Amino acid sequence: MTGVAKRASGRRTARRRLVWLLFKVAVFLALLPLLVTLVYAVLPAVSTPMLARLLTGHKVERIWTPLDAISPTLQRSVIASEDARFCVHDGVDWSALMEQVSRLEEGEDARGASTITMQLAKNLFLWPSRSYVRKTLEIPLAMWIDLVLSKRRILELYLNVAEWGDGIFGIEAAARHYYGISADKLSAAQAARLATVLPNPIARDPTDLSRRHAGHARAVRRRANIGRDLLDCL
């Protein structure tokens, strides 16, 4: 084999090794969330927004709190506001998702069909900015989370990683920050206001809601009050 042929063969071998390495990295990155979910079945979770703040030197407030130490009224309020079918779907509310797809096909704005489980998948493994790519990734991750974790653990994780304000993560930190009380002492009105903040925690303050969002909080409070079965799966 000539020197030129040897060099060409060496380049091909190097390319094959690079492709194989990239393939192994891609497989590892794809499997990592699946494995980490199993870890989070027993250990406290850390969200990607929390990690981003910690890595950039920004303050993070979070006090991990078991579900038994969180007001059931708050639990019902969050489910009533964010995902009323939480107890019956497999991580994805397909009827709500198809409805939003139909809206898009008709040229209307989609209002989002994220379940609590999909939001948890986003918080744990994906990025915050909206995109169809992220939404597509949320679906299989949410189904996996729903498969391997109980509904009780999913809600517990979500309430401990959701952001309730700038750098305020988890309901215990939120309850103390806004109301000076622990999460098990939240009233129905406080719980409903906190639930209303979740879609946009940076722009909304539960102690100073706009008239529109205050009205939404009252509606959430009514739904949580009559929705005693919202926690039946926990």
Side-chain angles (χ1 to χ4, degrees):
M1 182 181 293
T2 66
V4 173
K6 287 181 179 179
R7 287 194 294 272
S9 176
R11 286 195 293 269
R12 286 194 296 271
T13 300
R15 284 197 295 270
R16 284 196 293 269
R17 288 176 178 171
L18 177 60
V19 170
W20 179 239
L21 176 62
L22 293 175
F23 173 75
K24 289 192 289 186
V25 170
V27 170
F28 172 77
L29 291 176
L31 292 177
L32 185 60
L34 307 185
L35 299 174
V36 172
T37 300
L38 299 177
V39 174
Y40 286 158
V42 293
L43 295 179
V46 179
S47 68
T48 51
M50 290 172 65
L51 285 174
R53 290 186 66 89
L54 289 170
L55 292 173
T56 55
H58 290 83
K59 183 179 179 181
V60 169
E61 296 180 46
R62 203 277 287 273
I63 304 167
W64 180 271
T65 306
L67 198 63
D68 287 338
I70 298 173
S71 162
T73 301
L74 182 281
Q75 297 175 39
R76 288 197 303 273
S77 296
V78 169
I79 292 176
S81 178
E82 297 289 291
D83 184 7
R85 289 172 49 81
F86 175 70
C87 277
V88 298
H89 61 60
D90 61 357
V92 180
D93 188 341
W94 294 104
S95 59
L97 189 63
M98 292 301 102
E99 180 181 341
Q100 297 312 310
V101 170
S102 297
R103 289 176 62 88
L104 285 173
E105 291 175 345
E106 294 170 3
E108 301 178 24
D109 291 335
R111 298 175 182 174
S114 288
T115 63
I116 284 175
T117 317
M118 291 171 70
Q119 292 178 55
L120 178 62
K122 177 198 70 177
N123 287 337
L124 295 182
F125 304 119
L126 303 174
W127 57 94
S129 59
R130 294 182 179 181
S131 72
Y132 292 120
V133 173
R134 194 206 73 192
K135 184 64 68 176
T136 300
L137 293 173
E138 277 182 22
I139 293 173
L141 285 172
M143 295 179 70
W144 170 250
I145 289 171
D146 189 82
L147 178 67
V148 300
L149 301 182
S150 68
K151 293 287 188 179
R152 180 180 181 83
R153 183 59 174 173
I154 290 170
L155 184 61
E156 183 175 67
L157 288 171
Y158 178 70
L159 293 178
N160 275 282
V161 300
E163 190 171 11
W164 260 279
D166 190 24
I168 303 168
F169 295 89
I171 187 57
E172 183 68 24
R176 296 188 186 191
H177 177 85
Y178 292 113
Y179 299 113
I181 58 177
S182 58
D184 63 336
K185 298 294 193 301
L186 289 166
S187 69
Q190 292 167 339
R193 282 176 163 265
L194 282 164
T196 305
V197 165
L198 282 170
N200 195 349
I202 304 302
R204 300 178 190 174
D205 181 335
T207 64
D208 186 27
L209 291 176
S210 67
R211 180 178 298 180
R212 173 167 161 263
H213 290 125
H216 177 52
R218 288 191 293 271
V220 167
R221 181 177 176 180
R222 287 193 295 271
R223 292 201 298 271
N225 186 50
I226 64 175
R228 298 293 173 176
D229 59 341
L230 291 173
L231 303 182
D232 281 355
C233 59
L234 304 186

